[in-house]
Amino acid sequence: MALKRGLGQSLKFLKKNKKYGWVSAMEDIDSRKAPRGVRDILPAESWKWAYVLNVAAGVTAHFGYSEIHLPVFEHTELFTRGVGDTTDIVEKEMYTFTDRGGRSLTLRPEATAGMVRAALEHGLCGDRGQGRASKLWCWGPMFRYERPQKGRYRQFFQIDVECLGLPGPAADVEVIALSAEMFRRLGLKNLEVVVNSVGCPQCRPQYRKVLFDYFMSRKGGLCETCLGRLERNPLRALDCKKPECSSIADDAPSVYEHLCEECAAHFEEVKAGLTRLSFPHRLDKRLVRGLDYYTKTAYEVLSGDLGAQNAVCGGGRYDNLSESIGGPHLPGVGFAAGMDRIVMVMEQQGASFREKPQSQVYVVAQDDAGSCPEARGAAQVLTHRLRTKGIAAEQDGGDSVHAARSFKAQMKSAAGAAWACIIGPEELAKNLVALKNLRTGEQIHVPFEDVESHLKT
Ligand code: AMP
C-alpha cells in the first residue's frame, strides 16, 4: 500500500516536472529493457568471453603481468586531471554523479588512470613511485556516454595491460608484442598494428604551435569540434574522422620533424624492436589517440573486419600521467583491448573459441510416469557428488524447466555429454549405475560408489 502511494506520488512529481528534459526521457523508459548502449552478455556468448579472458590470463602470465581488480568508480578528478580535460571522454562522455556524501564520482571510462592511482596508493612501484617496475593487468566494464552503434557501447569491456616504472623503449615493444601475441593465440586474422610517436612535454609545444598555425590557415575547412578545441589541443584535429578535416590533416606537418632527440631515439628503438621481433607494423603520423596522457609511443591494432569502429586495441606510453594526478614521476606504457570487439571479430571470422564447454556427465533417472521416484533421489545425490569431485555433471531439471521427464527425453538432453549415468529400478536394487559412453555407445555397470574412479580412468 505504502509502496503504491510512493509510486503514485513519484508519477505525479514527474508529470508536474515535465519541463525537465530528463522527465520526458523517463516517460519513454521501458523497465523491461536495458538502458540504451548497454547490453546483456547472454549464456550463448558469455562462454566465448570466458575463453578470451582465459587466453588473456595465459598470455599476461607468460609475459610476467599480475592481475589486479580495480573499483568501477573513482573520484572524478582522477579522470579530469589524468585523462585530460580536452578529451572527448572528459568533455562529454563521463558518467559522473554525486554520492550521498556530496563527492563527485565517475564510473571509470578507462582503466589506466585507476591503475596508476592504485600503484601509487599501494606503493607498487616503491614508496615514491620509483624503484621497481610493476606489471599489471585487469579486465572489466568501462563506461562512456557515446552514440551507440555496432561495436560501440556505453558499457563495454576492456582487457587492460600496464607496465609501470620502466622508461625504456623495450617496455613499449613488450607491451605491443603482448597484445599481438594475445590476438595470435585467439586466432584473430586481418589485423594491422599502427604505430606513432606523439612526442613529450619538451618537443610537443613546438609541434602544437606549428600544427595550430597550419590548421588556422585552413580553418574554413575544419569541422566545428576541431575548430572549438584547436587552441587547446590542435593535435586532436589530426585524428578527426570527418572527411573535411581528414583531407586537411593528411597534409599537416609531420610530427617526425619535430620530435626532440630523446623522443626520436626512443621511437627508433621501438621500431627496431618490433622489426627484431618480426612484427609487421605501419607508421601513421596522424595517430594521436583520444586521450591526452600519451607521450612518445602511441599505437593501435586495427581490424579489417570491423567497419567504422575498427580498433580492437589501443595504447601507448604515458610518462606524465602520474604527475598529472599529483604523484611522483612514474613512467608507464600499456594498452586496452576491447573485449566486445574481439569477440565480434572472432565470431565474424568463424574462430573456434575452443569447444563450447559441455557437461561431461548427464545423470539419467529411469522414472517414467513416476514409477521409481527413488531413482530421481539417487540421481540427485550422484550429480552433486560428481560436481564436488570436479566433474561437470547435469541432471533432469537442471537444463530444462520440465523436471521428471521421460527416460527418452533425458537421453536426448544427454547427447552433448561424454557419459550418461543411468539409474533405474534394476540398478537401484543392486546398488549399481549404468555408465554409457555416449561416443562409442558402450555400456557397463559399476558400483554406485565407484562412478568417479571409472570416469577418471
Ligand atoms: P581507448 O580506451 O579509447 O583507447 O580504447 C581501447 C579499446 O577499447 C578500443 O580499441 C576498442 O576496442 C575498445 N573500446 C573503446 N571504446 C569502446 C566502446 N564505446 N564500445 C566498445 N569498445 C570500445
Side-chain angles (χ1 to χ4, degrees):
M1 195 59 201
L3 177 71
K4 251 190 184 169
R5 204 167 39 235
L7 276 177
Q9 274 162 2
S10 306
L11 284 174
K12 246 190 241 153
F13 169 81
L14 291 180
K15 272 188 196 142
K16 254 199 339 217
N17 289 277
K18 251 190 169 163
K19 60 180 184 219
Y20 297 112
W22 60 267
V23 172
S24 62
M26 282 193 64
E27 283 175 346
D28 297 333
I29 288 175
D30 181 346
S31 319
R32 297 161 305 171
K33 294 210 167 119
R36 188 164 138 76
V38 171
R39 66 198 184 114
D40 304 297
I41 311 298
L42 300 175
E45 199 182 328
S46 66
W47 65 274
K48 299 177 183 172
W49 285 56
Y51 172 67
V52 171
L53 279 174
N54 205 22
V55 170
V59 184
T60 46
H62 289 153
F63 279 70
Y65 288 70
S66 308
E67 190 172 4
I68 181 171
H69 298 284
L70 299 171
V72 291
F73 61 81
E74 299 266 6
H75 291 299
T76 300
E77 291 74 16
L78 175 68
F79 304 115
T80 49
R81 294 170 65 181
V83 175
D85 53 15
T86 60
T87 58
D88 282 348
I89 290 179
V90 171
E91 271 183 351
K92 52 186 189 199
E93 294 172 1
M94 293 205 301
Y95 281 90
T96 297
F97 61 98
T98 308
D99 76 359
R100 286 173 184 272
R103 295 167 207 91
S104 177
L105 301 171
T106 293
L107 296 183
R108 62 181 179 190
E110 56 97 63
T112 310
M115 195 82 98
V116 172
R117 194 265 312 136
L120 294 177
E121 186 171 340
H122 304 289
L124 301 183
C125 295
D127 283 347
R128 293 175 46 253
Q130 281 153 327
R132 60 173 185 264
S134 208
K135 306 208 301 187
L136 304 164
W137 79 283
C138 72
W139 69 276
M142 310 292 152
F143 307 87
R144 293 182 197 170
Y145 191 81
E146 292 188 272
R147 195 171 52 77
Q149 64 180 91
K150 184 171 174 250
R152 187 161 75 188
Y153 310 101
R154 291 181 173 170
Q155 173 179 281
F156 57 97
F157 288 74
Q158 286 186 338
I159 294 167
D160 190 77
V161 173
E162 310 290 351
C163 175
L164 302 174
L166 295 179
D172 308 35
V173 175
E174 176 177 287
V175 157
I176 298 174
L178 194 164
S179 59
E181 174 59 9
M182 182 170 77
F183 296 135
R184 189 193 68 77
R185 289 192 197 181
L186 288 169
L188 260 74
K189 295 182 279 272
N190 200 8
L191 294 183
E192 183 181 35
V193 178
V194 186
V195 188
N196 193 22
S197 174
V198 293
C200 70
Q202 265 67 53
C203 52
R204 207 181 303 160
Q206 166 64 14
Y207 181 50
R208 278 171 71 130
K209 193 177 168 323
V210 172
L211 267 188
F212 178 75
D213 292 343
Y214 169 79
F215 283 121
M216 276 307 273
S217 69
R218 286 157 178 79
K219 66 177 184 187
L222 293 178
C223 74
E224 264 185 37
T225 318
C226 285
L227 262 184
R229 59 185 173 204
L230 205 52
E231 203 148 326
R232 286 180 299 153
N233 194 351
L235 268 81
R236 293 301 316 282
L238 283 176
D239 77 341
C240 180
K241 303 284 181 286
K242 301 215 177 79
E244 65 266 35
C245 301
S246 199
S247 61
I248 297 177
D250 270 341
D251 297 329
S254 162
V255 64
Y256 306 131
E257 281 126 44
H258 295 89
L259 292 178
C260 62
E261 227 174 276
E262 193 192 317
C263 285
H266 189 100
F267 192 42
E268 285 310 311
E269 253 316 298
V270 171
K271 289 187 286 180
L274 291 176
T275 308
R276 224 173 277 131
L277 300 184
S278 310
F279 281 122
H281 55 279
R282 175 168 66 82
L283 301 186
D284 182 353
K285 65 178 176 125
R286 285 184 49 193
L287 178 73
V288 291
R289 318 258 308 108
L291 300 97
D292 281 355
Y293 52 55
Y294 286 111
T295 51
K296 296 180 176 160
T297 311
Y299 88 103
E300 275 185 345
V301 182
L302 307 178
S303 164
D305 294 317
L306 267 180
Q309 302 302 317
N310 63 346
V312 283
C313 166
R317 181 163 278 285
Y318 46 86
D319 290 347
N320 304 309
L321 172 55
S322 167
E323 281 151 302
S324 70
I325 61 168
H329 180 67
L330 176 63
V333 57
F335 71 80
M339 290 204 41
D340 307 74
R341 291 188 198 171
I342 292 174
V343 173
M344 191 182 290
V345 176
M346 289 176 70
E347 277 174 345
Q348 248 163 260
Q349 296 180 347
S352 75
F353 285 103
R354 196 185 43 147
E355 265 179 47
K356 185 175 178 188
Q358 295 280 5
S359 285
Q360 238 172 312
V361 176
Y362 200 97
V363 182
V364 178
Q366 223 169 353
D367 170 38
D368 282 9
S371 55
C372 184
E374 298 83 1
R376 297 219 172 250
Q380 189 181 32
V381 170
L382 180 60
T383 306
H384 180 68
R385 209 180 74 206
L386 293 177
R387 288 170 176 169
T388 60
K389 299 276 164 49
I391 296 170
E394 194 49 276
Q395 64 183 343
D396 192 23
D399 59 341
S400 156
V401 286
H402 306 292
R405 286 177 305 163
S406 68
F407 175 74
K408 208 170 146 202
Q410 291 177 63
M411 285 305 284
K412 211 168 157 197
S413 290
W419 298 90
C421 290
I422 304 162
I423 305 173
E426 273 177 41
E427 283 77 18
L428 271 181
K430 296 179 189 157
N431 197 34
L432 294 174
V433 172
L435 205 57
K436 185 176 175 116
N437 183 329
L438 294 170
R439 307 273 145 81
T440 64
E442 258 173 75
Q443 182 170 311
I444 52 168
H445 276 90
V446 301
F448 188 80
E449 289 73 27
D450 295 345
V451 177
E452 299 80 325
S453 56
H454 278 272
L455 286 172
K456 282 185 174 159
T457 55

